[in-house]
Amino acid sequence: LLNEFTLIEEFFTKKLPSPTDVLLGIGDDGAVLKVPADQALVIAVDTLVAGVHFPVDTAAADIGFKALAVNLSDLAAMGAYPRWITLALTLPAMDTAWLQAFAQGLFTLADQYQIQLVGGDTTRGPLTITIQAHGFVPAQQTLRRSGAKIGDKIYVSGTLGDAGLGLQIALHNINLPSTEEQFLLQRLNRPLPRVELGLLLRQFATSAIDISDGLLADLTHITEQSHVGATLTAEQLPLSSALSRSLSHHEALQLALTAGDDYELCFTIPAAREQEFLLASNQHPCTCIGFISEEPGITLVDFPHSLLATGYRHF
Amino acid sequence: LLNEFTLIEEFFTKKLPSPTDVLLGIGDDGAVLKVPADQALVIAVDTLVAGVHFPVDTAAADIGFKALAVNLSDLAAMGAYPRWITLALTLPAMDTAWLQAFAQGLFTLADQYQIQLVGGDTTRGPLTITIQAHGFVPAQQTLRRSGAKIGDKIYVSGTLGDAGLGLQIALHNINLPSTEEQFLLQRLNRPLPRVELGLLLRQFATSAIDISDGLLADLTHITEQSHVGATLTAEQLPLSSALSRSLSHHEALQLALTAGDDYELCFTIPAAREQEFLLASNQHPCTCIGFISEEPGITLVDFPHSLLATGYRHF
């Protein structure tokens, strides 16, 4: 068996001054942590399995970065500020070079937010990474999936569908010019969680979710939990120029609607506060893609007929 | 891909009235939780991999029970009261009967302590279970590995080595009379975390750890982190009658010293408080196995010569 203590100490113990909210970190039976009295604790846990959530030949540093990013994206969708993580790492064998690269990728992102690794477990088995992220939010400002109201504007951050096309590149299913390939692989392997936008949305959004399973699937969680519907217009979907240049308009829209792994935020803003939100969010590219409507389900306007998946109404 | 929402809702959402410390449970991007202002948050995470941490033919209900038990044992060793868990479950395929049994085993133990499942992730892949347990302890009463003092008495709860022999039964390496088999398999598959004892030890223990890797290995964490040594006497090790009847004294002692998976607590009590502790702990079988000494390492007294492993001093 791997020696978890040696592993964790060697690769994952950062010699930083302990912040005051970590009373006890790695090295005992558990970590002891202090949550500020005026904050709620927000937790999110996600597992990445090799060959399922990333191609088996993905670089270790990218796996480390992404395993954290997907969890920070969940915290961002709750409006939470990230603070601590635990890492449960299952590895087929001890591989020093792999571990160094994995840790380097993980801490590249963790250090941006001064996130502390406070505990974990390392086991032998098929490559699987489970990270739990812990953050804070004032309870009353939590972003939920359930608060969207009829008439709210629907927004997404960034651009959609890039990671879906990036996956086709990573799987060697297509070749593109190297500028496009680089951008799209970066979008797949190094998604940037929208932490700062999530914090801003505490003041504006009536609902929020992160797009991990594709826009239609994730927006459906908002409409179902809010007991409303949504209307989207094709021409409003934000597409990167790399995506637009590489695919037909039809294919690009399909990826934007259904491909997962973009880790952008989808959220709703009351129409009356839209201008104020746009002024406040000018450093975070966001695009209005439609509005919350009464009829249940998602209504797609002006989408190519051939594209429309079963189960979504269209006009 | 498995639909995590359906899975989690079907098998793992308990229709209990939400306790006031769970502001938002399963069904959003994250759970939102409230830690009482006078308590520190204690977290522990452990992964079980099929074929590594349990035989592949282990019953699903036993896997569910044990995956939680090992984490509660960590919280007990910190003196923490368990409150919430998350479950990251990787499964080779959707198997309703397996999931039902797994959930039943998990909640058999969770319900004993009114522990809430507040989040999780289900993914497809080789069977792997990662549970993170969350509990509370007043910060000043945390049990650590680092507080043992020279002259303290060393205690363990329960009996040692049973799970090690249980594993040999589960692997069909030996046959024993059915009464012994039943007891030893129970000890392997359904370890009872010493939660109540951990709470009591807040008042008495100078250090504590749970025995997951074997007494010598785990006691060594206490001695190293406390910068002390330990002296153990062979005849003091608590052995179950099932273990004593099934093995030679030599073999029984070897399992008691080195076999893992017992999930008993090992802890130290100041000699001056020993009588008070024994009175207070009379409902929790505990045995004094030695004392904290000055010379580093673990000194074994009166153990059979043939048994002694390299690296441990003996007289």
Side-chain angles (χ1 to χ4, degrees):
Chain A
L1 285 178
L2 296 171
N3 183 325
E4 69 179 283
F5 300 99
T6 312
L7 256 187
I8 289 175
E9 284 178 9
E10 192 167 343
F11 294 102
F12 299 113
T13 307
K14 306 277 287 185
K15 302 299 179 203
L16 295 173
S18 247
T20 53
D21 56 7
V22 179
L23 306 178
L24 195 59
I26 289 171
D28 212 301
D29 291 287
V32 185
L33 307 165
K34 199 69 195 154
V35 177
D38 58 345
Q39 304 283 312
L41 173 70
V42 180
I43 60 175
V45 57
D46 267 305
T47 299
L48 301 187
V49 181
V52 178
H53 300 94
F54 54 84
V56 290
D57 58 355
T58 303
D62 288 338
I63 299 170
F65 187 99
K66 187 166 182 174
L68 178 55
V70 302
N71 280 287
L72 297 192
S73 179
D74 280 324
L75 290 193
M78 302 301 292
Y81 190 83
R83 204 65 197 92
W84 314 305
I85 56 169
T86 61
L87 168 66
L89 180 58
T90 303
L91 286 174
M94 178 66 188
D95 178 340
T96 303
W98 191 94
L99 277 165
Q100 277 172 334
F102 176 88
Q104 184 266 318
L106 178 75
F107 284 115
T108 294
L109 181 55
D111 290 349
Q112 278 185 40
Y113 297 101
Q114 280 143 31
I115 293 167
Q116 296 279 315
L117 178 69
V118 295
D121 190 18
T122 48
T123 49
R124 187 184 294 272
L127 180 59
T128 309
I129 305 105
T130 297
I131 287 182
Q132 178 160 322
H134 309 69
F136 302 152
V137 68
Q140 300 306 317
Q141 297 182 26
T142 307
L143 304 177
R144 300 173 180 229
R145 297 175 177 178
S146 57
K149 300 277 179 286
I150 294 166
D152 285 354
K153 299 300 183 78
I154 303 169
Y155 274 80
V156 293
S157 61
T159 54
L160 300 178
D162 298 329
L165 186 53
L167 180 61
Q168 296 311 312
I169 298 166
L171 294 172
H172 311 291
N173 290 341
I174 55 164
N175 283 300
L176 293 175
S178 88
T179 314
E180 274 82 358
E181 283 206 354
Q182 238 178 316
F183 170 81
L184 294 164
L185 285 172
Q186 185 84 0
R187 291 280 287 156
L188 173 70
N189 291 323
R190 300 267 174 156
L192 291 173
R194 304 302 183 184
V195 175
E196 293 82 1
L197 176 60
L199 298 177
L200 178 70
L201 292 178
R202 291 175 176 181
Q203 304 166 51
F204 292 102
T206 52
S207 71
I209 194 169
D210 79 321
I211 304 177
S212 53
D213 297 332
L215 174 63
L216 289 180
D218 289 313
L219 180 55
T220 298
H221 291 306
I222 285 184
T223 58
E224 286 185 355
Q225 294 190 31
S226 300
H227 309 289
V228 293
T231 300
L232 303 183
T233 305
E235 65 188 11
Q236 294 182 277
L237 291 191
L239 306 178
S240 68
S241 57
L243 191 75
S244 298
R245 277 200 299 267
S246 307
L247 298 177
S248 71
H249 190 54
H250 170 143
E251 294 167 326
L253 285 175
Q254 185 157 39
L255 285 183
L257 286 177
T258 62
D261 256 12
D262 277 326
Y263 301 101
E264 297 295 348
L265 296 184
C266 174
F267 52 95
T268 54
I269 302 283
R273 300 200 64 204
E274 193 176 15
Q275 290 312 311
E276 191 189 349
F277 165 69
L278 288 172
L279 280 172
S281 67
N282 69 342
Q283 297 193 332
H284 310 283
C286 291
T287 308
C288 179
I289 60 170
F291 58 91
I292 295 294
S293 42
E294 189 170 356
E295 197 170 354
I298 296 181
T299 303
L300 298 176
V301 177
D302 287 340
F303 280 78
H305 220 77
S306 52
L307 174 152
L308 296 163
T310 323
Y312 295 100
R313 248 168 323 98
H314 52 90
F315 294 91
Chain B
L1 285 178
L2 294 172
N3 182 325
E4 72 180 280
F5 300 98
T6 313
L7 255 187
I8 287 176
E9 284 179 9
E10 191 168 343
F11 294 101
F12 299 113
T13 307
K14 305 278 287 182
K15 302 300 179 200
L16 294 174
S18 246
T20 54
D21 57 6
V22 179
L23 307 179
L24 194 60
I26 289 172
D28 212 303
D29 290 288
V32 185
L33 307 164
K34 199 69 195 152
V35 177
D38 58 346
Q39 304 282 312
L41 173 70
V42 181
I43 60 175
V45 57
D46 267 306
T47 300
L48 301 188
V49 180
V52 178
H53 300 95
F54 54 85
V56 290
D57 58 355
T58 303
D62 289 337
I63 299 170
F65 187 100
K66 187 166 183 173
L68 178 55
V70 302
N71 280 287
L72 297 192
S73 179
D74 280 323
L75 291 193
M78 302 301 293
Y81 189 83
R83 202 67 196 90
W84 313 306
I85 55 168
T86 60
L87 168 66
L89 180 58
T90 304
L91 286 174
M94 177 68 188
D95 179 339
T96 303
W98 190 94
L99 277 165
Q100 276 172 334
F102 177 88
Q104 183 266 316
L106 178 75
F107 284 115
T108 295
L109 181 56
D111 290 350
Q112 278 185 39
Y113 297 101
Q114 281 143 30
I115 293 167
Q116 297 278 315
L117 178 68
V118 295
D121 190 17
T122 48
T123 48
R124 188 184 292 274
L127 180 59
T128 309
I129 305 105
T130 297
I131 288 182
Q132 178 160 324
H134 310 69
F136 301 153
V137 68
Q140 299 307 317
Q141 297 183 24
T142 307
L143 304 176
R144 302 174 180 231
R145 297 176 177 177
S146 57
K149 300 275 178 287
I150 293 165
D152 285 353
K153 298 299 183 79
I154 303 169
Y155 274 80
V156 293
S157 61
T159 55
L160 300 177
D162 298 329
L165 186 53
L167 180 61
Q168 297 310 312
I169 298 167
L171 293 172
H172 312 289
N173 290 341
I174 55 164
N175 283 301
L176 293 175
S178 89
T179 315
E180 275 82 359
E181 283 206 354
Q182 240 178 314
F183 171 81
L184 294 164
L185 285 173
Q186 186 83 359
R187 292 279 287 157
L188 173 70
N189 292 322
R190 300 266 173 156
L192 292 173
R194 304 302 183 184
V195 175
E196 294 82 0
L197 176 60
L199 297 177
L200 179 71
L201 292 178
R202 290 175 177 181
Q203 304 166 51
F204 292 101
T206 51
S207 70
I209 193 169
D210 80 321
I211 304 177
S212 53
D213 297 332
L215 174 64
L216 289 181
D218 290 313
L219 180 55
T220 298
H221 291 306
I222 286 185
T223 57
E224 287 185 354
Q225 294 190 31
S226 300
H227 308 290
V228 294
T231 300
L232 303 183
T233 306
E235 66 186 12
Q236 292 183 277
L237 290 190
L239 306 178
S240 67
S241 57
L243 191 76
S244 297
R245 276 200 300 268
S246 307
L247 298 176
S248 71
H249 190 56
H250 170 144
E251 294 166 323
L253 286 176
Q254 185 157 40
L255 284 183
L257 286 177
T258 62
D261 256 10
D262 278 326
Y263 300 102
E264 298 294 348
L265 296 184
C266 175
F267 51 95
T268 53
I269 302 282
R273 300 202 62 204
E274 191 175 17
Q275 290 311 312
E276 190 189 350
F277 165 69
L278 287 172
L279 280 172
S281 68
N282 68 342
Q283 297 193 331
H284 309 283
C286 292
T287 308
C288 180
I289 60 170
F291 57 91
I292 295 294
S293 41
E294 188 171 355
E295 198 171 353
I298 297 182
T299 304
L300 298 176
V301 178
D302 287 341
F303 280 78
H305 220 78
S306 53
L307 174 153
L308 296 163
T310 323
Y312 296 100
R313 249 169 322 99
H314 53 91
F315 295 91

